[in-house]
Amino acid sequence: MLNAQLFSDDELPALRKIVLFYCAVGENKPPATDFRYEAIDRLKFPQIRFSLLPVLRKTECFDFEKAKVEVKKFLVRLLTLTGSDQHA
């Protein structure tokens, strides 16, 4: 998803609002301004193997540890609140 640039930069504000809304109404509500990503670090490949491998191309190389780093960087960028987010 990140490598394929599924979302353009102008779509990220809407995606951020969707994620924040989901967090606000979900059962496990984190504080909206203090997201933590330790759960990503604790993930082990066997935990996601059966759901991930079927959707990858057989020729596709997947670096699980690199993917965790990239996802965390994306989430930090995505979920950094802007001035308009804080006043909405």
Side-chain angles (χ1 to χ4, degrees), residues 37-55:
Y37 306 103
E38 293 89 5
I40 295 172
D41 294 327
R42 290 191 302 269
L43 278 174
K44 303 293 181 216
F45 188 67
Q47 292 173 279
I48 64 162
R49 177 183 332 209
F50 294 109
S51 58
L52 176 65
L53 292 182
V55 298

Side-chain angles (χ1 to χ4, degrees), residues 5-65:
Q5 296 180 348
L6 188 61
F7 300 103
S8 65
D9 284 342
D10 59 330
E11 294 173 309
L12 293 180
L15 179 61
R16 175 177 33 260
K17 290 174 184 173
I18 291 166
V19 171
L20 293 173
F21 177 77
Y22 177 80
C23 288
V25 299
E27 291 181 24
N28 299 319
K29 297 182 219 173
T33 59
D34 186 23
F35 292 97
R36 293 193 174 94
Y37 306 103
E38 293 89 5
I40 295 172
D41 294 327
R42 290 191 302 269
L43 278 174
K44 303 293 181 216
F45 188 67
Q47 292 173 279
I48 64 162
R49 177 183 332 209
F50 294 109
S51 58
L52 176 65
L53 292 182
V55 298
L56 294 178
R57 293 184 185 111
K58 293 189 186 301
T59 59
E60 191 170 354
C61 178
F62 180 74
D63 183 337
F64 180 62
E65 295 303 319

